[in-house]
Amino acid sequence: MSASSCLTGGGESESVMKRTVGVVTVTHNDEKFMTEYLDALQAQTHSPDKVILADSGSDHPELLAAKVKQYALPIERVYAGKEVGFCVGTNFGWRMVRDLDYVLFLNPDAFLAPDFLERAVAYMENEPTVGMVTPSLVRYDIEAHRPLDMIDTTGVVRNWFGNFVERDCGLPEAALQRYHVPNDIPWLCAAAVFARREAIEDVVEHCDQVFDESFYMYKDDTDLSWRVRRAGWRLVHHPELRGYHCRGWKKRSTFSRKLRLMSARNEVTTCIKNHSPYVVLSMAKYLAVRILNL
């Protein structure tokens, strides 16, 4: 059963239909996710105007090309560079959709409900102070092709110790019932972020970067969220927006030292850039990884 068959959609107003939407996804050897990913996009009640697949040096790009041909979607496959990472690849795709009203930053292992784009556009049209909105994501087992009874994320918060964590991660899906209305959230997970073009343009950095390319990956979405919020835009989790996420990592202990060091370094940079007093904690975490390999 595909992800799109697990979620239902609705109707669409004429005003919402007039708004244009681009989807930007970075791929790297993600063939096993593409059936669910493309099924979910094709099932959208508000069809995307452009879908940019920015490939970061996949070993067999011809497999993705063959898969894409099976779908009636406005897809442009572009080569972003050999293993350039999430940030460079996403920025590459962003420049190809920045003339549209909205952009959806979407991971290849995230699959959206059929009414996601319709509801997201309608909400943003009625809430002009919201810069970015994120759905409730439920964990998905790509090997079994089915959702799990486990929340993946409803946004990003700090825990009691000051660490960035995915809110509600690991709780049963029924816990989503606590959210009855859209709620402000300090940071969003870039697995699925629906953004207003004006909000993104407000925070574009040097060399036309949306995501800080010095990060490669990890904490890039935290940095972008912080910058958008500092620019005066609201970040919102909308409980009526739904989707699934496979999530490539499970536990921090499975990370290599290189990746843990990258994540810790990026957190320090994020705190410095956004004037956070938590930079002291972030530097301590970085030193713990670098010196003690924790």
Side-chain angles (χ1 to χ4, degrees), residues 76-182:
E76 295 184 42
R77 292 174 51 251
V78 295
Y79 180 66
K82 181 63 175 177
E83 297 187 12
V84 294
F86 174 82
C87 296
V88 170
T90 303
N91 289 342
F92 197 97
W94 150 253
R95 296 177 190 115
M96 300 179 67
V97 301
R98 70 186 306 172
D99 59 324
L100 305 182
D101 297 312
Y102 297 99
V103 57
L104 170 64
F105 300 115
L106 183 65
N107 279 10
D109 63 348
F111 323 127
L112 303 177
D115 61 354
F116 178 92
L117 292 181
E118 178 186 343
R119 286 182 179 272
V121 172
Y123 174 72
M124 295 290 261
E125 288 295 289
N126 289 321
E127 297 289 341
T129 63
V130 176
M132 301 195 301
V133 64
T134 195
S136 296
L137 290 178
V138 172
R139 197 68 59 84
Y140 192 84
D141 184 343
I142 195 62
E143 304 300 333
H145 301 283
R146 65 178 181 85
L148 303 175
D149 183 22
M150 181 187 300
I151 298 173
D152 182 74
T153 184
T154 58
V156 177
V157 295
R158 286 193 187 273
N159 64 10
W160 65 272
F161 190 63
N163 291 323
F164 294 109
V165 295
E166 304 291 346
R167 187 175 67 173
D168 301 317
C169 183
L171 296 179
E173 187 175 0
L176 293 174
Q177 296 175 9
R178 75 181 71 180
Y179 300 111
H180 304 290
V181 295

Side-chain angles (χ1 to χ4, degrees), residues 186-205:
W187 303 281
L188 306 182
C189 171
V193 170
F194 189 81
R196 190 184 305 274
R197 177 185 61 197
E198 293 87 351
I200 299 302
E201 292 285 7
D202 273 355
V203 298
V204 169
E205 297 185 312

